[in-house]
Amino acid sequence: MDKRLEAFQRLLDIMDDLRKGCPWDKKQTIESLRHLTIEETYELSEAILASDYQDVKKELGDLIMHIVFYARIADERGLFDISDVINSICDKLIVRHPHIYGDVKVETAEQVLENWEKIKIKKEGNKSVLGGVPAGLPPLLKAYRMTDKASGVGFDWPNKEECWKKVLEEMDELQEEVKNGGSKERLDEEFGDLMFALVNYSRFIKVNADDSLEHANLKFKKRFMYIEERANEMGKSVADMSLDEMEELWQEAKRV
């Protein structure tokens, strides 16, 4: 037996045991698992950003377990089972890859993406190109996905230079509102426009804005915690340090 199938069958058998015998597992519903799945997804994201591949393996296991758990509960309710889940994604992959399972010819990844958006509208019944972007996505990631999908049907800047001009235009408009004491609503709108333009530009330079911001978050956290540690070694609290003292330690943290 294929070791992959054997491992998956083992997981299915364990889930059956847990659902029958564990009080916590028996109590769970599709709804109760939702927030736990979101948490597991973020933990996988952290492991990927840290390039901790042993942790990536562990977190992928947690997510697979959740998928099997959802399917087991759904099977009990007569909704669907794990084979339906797997066959559903297999069918989707075949439909979306006519260059593999049909006679469509493509040469680049960009052409594949363009085909996907057309297939979603023509064959899968999506009423909007943006219909596949979940409303619950974090705003930064949502902006990236929306601009990416719009680009897939040709709604995009012709090049990165034109896109950057839009960033500068939005920056100027924000600064103008700040200078003129604009209302909170206007500042909110212009700041949002600037962020959206920057996210859009990130696609042109092959950068994922969400990943980039998280890397910046982690870098800031590491350097600020260095300041706290050094302050503690000096018998001080950061709350009692001057900005100049903290800046000196900040520059030191950048060299570590």
Side-chain angles (χ1 to χ4, degrees), residues 144-161:
Y144 188 92
R145 293 295 293 136
M146 288 197 300
T147 57
D148 190 45
K149 283 182 170 291
S151 174
V153 292
F155 188 75
D156 206 354
W157 295 99
N159 51 58
K160 67 176 182 292
E161 289 77 20

Side-chain angles (χ1 to χ4, degrees), residues 9-33:
Q9 184 61 58
R10 183 185 179 204
L11 177 58
L12 293 175
D13 292 341
I14 289 173
M15 180 52 64
D16 286 344
D17 293 339
L18 296 180
R19 191 65 176 168
K20 293 173 185 175
C22 174
W24 186 89
D25 287 284
K26 287 195 292 185
K27 184 179 178 181
Q28 299 313 305
T29 66
I30 288 176
E31 292 73 22
S32 71
L33 289 175

